[in-house]
Amino acid sequence: MDIIEIRHYLHQHPELSGQETNTMQTIADFLKPLKPDILETHVAGCNGLTAVFYGENRNKSVAFRADIDALPIEEDADLQYKSYNKGVAHKCGHDGHTAILLDFARKIAFKSRPFNIILLFQPEEETGYGAKKMLQSETLRRLKPDAIFGLHNIPGAPLGDIVIKYDTFAAASTGFIIKLHGRQAHAAYPETGINPGMAVAEIIAETQKIHSEATVFRQTTLIYTRIGEIAFGTSAGDAEIMLTLRSFTNAGMKELIKTVENIAAEKAKKYNLRVGFDFKDSFNALENNDRYVDIIKSSAEKLNYGVDIITEPFRWSEDFADYLLQYNGAFFGIGSGVDHAGLHHPDYDFPDEIITVGSSMFEEICKLFYD
Ligand SMILES: [Zn+2]
Ligand SMILES: [Zn+2]
């Protein structure tokens, strides 16, 4: 089957994070005839797969990762291979990333290899849980890779250009929930209760100030607030504030969380409230190893691809970050076209032209890795 047909098949059958069972099966069916030495499915109880093609030196391994999950977005694009799954679509191009890794598998399967090549097909990227689960795979625990590489398509960058960023590639982010508990009272006698309203107002004002006054990038985006219940006879007794925090470094994220926690704790104390914190959808900063970014850059130059070296990290997050907390490696982008619809937009579709750009890059990275 043509690799573009595979991409279109994946596009027609998108599955949400945590539900990628058919996608896993499709990938396994494609890989089996390529006779990988190891094919591990249902990695750590999730829908992840690893495939290993052994090399002459069994003590050296390089890993490549693709994410495989889709998004809860209704497809707007008028495509021949439109999503069959209502309300779910591949709007981040993970169908394309999967096709790239499958194409790469086909290229290396029946050639001699100087070292082991590990392919990671990772589910649950959009929710930030997948990489952590893949890191528990038998394969990675046994064959600790000497390096790991991954990529993402980048709308807005010229089609087929390799987008390179030294140091941080993508930001750390986390959903941060502040819960304030006071006491309800009759609305006619609010002074007999503890209303969290003033604390909420001050916490919002001060956390937004962090963002506007920051000299290094620190973002505190207000997402949601709730104070009390819709009942005009009752003075509010509790409240919730939800923020999304972002930083370009993991150390910066730790500091930012501490700062927001301190503000909330101080206001809670001032207004006699109890306070609790919760986190959701947390991603580490994707901090590249520069030596491996150089390998990516040389590979792109060898292949005569355009190279865009960017200086500002992407503000979005990528759970590939978790692999780089354990292994050396780097992540890069491939341009999806300057006027291409953005990631997560209803009319976005992965450009098929860059499938071979991605698989050729992985091949070239392999060649350069031990030069
Ligand atoms: Zn995405
Ligand atoms: Zn993505």
Side-chain angles (χ1 to χ4, degrees):
M1 207 173 178
D2 187 341
I3 201 68
I4 292 177
E5 283 172 49
I6 297 276
R7 208 283 288 177
H8 293 179
Y9 177 84
L10 292 167
H11 192 92
Q12 271 177 319
H13 302 86
E15 292 171 302
L16 289 176
S17 308
Q19 300 173 19
E20 311 90 338
T21 47
N22 178 55
T23 308
M24 181 177 67
Q25 197 53 53
T26 306
I27 295 165
D29 290 346
F30 184 96
L31 290 172
K32 274 176 205 153
L34 302 179
K35 301 197 168 31
D37 296 288
I38 300 173
L39 181 58
E40 184 188 353
T41 57
H42 300 95
V43 167
C46 71
N47 298 312
L49 302 89
T50 68
V52 182
F53 292 88
Y54 282 139
E56 281 153 40
N57 183 351
R58 295 258 179 124
N59 297 317
K60 297 273 179 202
S61 304
V62 181
F64 296 89
R65 173 272 213 171
D67 39 16
I68 67 171
D69 52 334
L71 285 158
I73 298 174
E74 180 74 35
E75 184 148 69
D76 232 12
D78 188 22
L79 301 168
Q80 272 184 348
Y81 47 90
K82 202 172 162 129
S83 167
Y84 283 142
N85 192 352
K86 204 169 162 38
V88 181
H90 272 294
K91 293 295 158 189
C92 205
H94 299 184
D95 49 347
H97 303 163
T98 304
I100 286 171
L101 201 57
L102 291 173
D103 195 38
F104 175 59
R106 207 160 55 169
K107 287 178 171 176
I108 55 150
F110 301 109
K111 284 188 187 154
S112 71
R113 295 171 293 269
F115 45 78
N116 307 326
I117 295 176
I118 305 172
L119 310 181
L120 306 175
F121 292 90
Q122 181 209 303
E124 299 176 55
E125 191 285 324
E126 295 291 357
T127 50
Y129 299 111
K132 289 177 188 75
K133 292 181 182 175
M134 294 301 284
L135 281 163
Q136 295 169 36
S137 75
E138 280 295 311
T139 305
L140 287 182
R141 281 192 296 179
R142 251 191 43 223
L143 303 171
K144 291 181 178 47
D146 297 273
I148 182 161
F149 294 91
L151 60 79
H152 208 290
N153 75 99
I154 310 283
L159 188 71
D161 271 19
I162 305 304
V163 180
I164 281 171
K165 174 70 182 64
Y166 286 94
D167 201 14
T168 296
F169 187 94
S173 68
T174 186
F176 188 74
I177 304 169
I178 302 166
K179 291 179 181 166
L180 296 164
H181 305 280
R183 200 171 57 238
Q184 286 182 333
H186 193 293
Y189 302 96
E191 70 277 12
T192 62
I194 305 172
N195 190 313
M198 284 305 291
V200 168
E202 289 178 25
I203 291 168
I204 291 174
E206 290 200 20
T207 52
Q208 296 312 291
K209 223 166 39 186
I210 301 175
H211 172 49
S212 60
E213 288 175 357
T215 46
V216 290
F217 176 74
R218 305 168 90 192
Q219 206 179 37
T220 51
T221 307
L222 181 61
I223 303 300
Y224 172 88
T225 67
R226 179 189 63 77
I227 304 174
E229 307 300 334
I230 304 173
F232 291 97
T234 308
S235 172
D238 67 343
E240 263 182 315
I241 306 170
M242 299 189 190
L243 302 165
T244 298
L245 310 182
R246 287 178 201 278
S247 162
F248 285 153
T249 62
N250 291 317
M253 179 57 100
K254 269 191 199 139
E255 269 175 46
L256 182 57
I257 290 170
K258 196 91 219 113
T259 306
V260 174
E261 276 179 357
N262 287 345
I263 290 170
E266 188 202 309
K267 300 302 173 190
K269 198 170 164 213
K270 180 175 169 188
Y271 292 102
N272 217 1
L273 300 153
R274 281 183 296 120
V275 65
F277 304 114
D278 212 349
F279 295 90
K280 212 170 178 298
D281 298 350
S282 303
F283 289 81
N284 287 300
L286 198 171
E287 297 181 19
N288 275 334
N289 301 122
D290 288 354
R291 205 184 124 221
Y292 297 84
V293 177
D294 281 334
I295 292 176
I296 291 167
K297 184 166 167 278
S298 309
S299 302
E301 285 164 355
K302 267 221 149 121
L303 291 165
N304 280 321
Y305 293 151
V307 175
D308 299 0
I309 301 175
I310 57 169
T311 51
E312 174 97 345
F314 290 102
R315 287 188 184 179
W316 40 261
S317 301
E318 225 313 327
D319 80 350
F320 188 84
D322 294 336
Y323 300 105
L324 294 185
L325 293 177
Q326 292 204 26
Y327 309 120
N328 286 319
F331 194 79
F332 62 98
I334 303 181
S336 306
V338 175
D339 295 321
H340 205 81
L343 300 173
H344 297 205
H345 282 244
D347 50 359
Y348 168 88
D349 184 38
F350 182 88
D352 288 322
E353 300 93 312
I354 64 175
I355 295 175
T356 50
V357 175
S359 58
S360 304
M361 277 296 291
F362 284 166
E363 242 190 327
E364 200 60 38
I365 287 168
C366 275
K367 283 186 206 156
L368 281 179
F369 191 69
Y370 280 121
D371 276 2

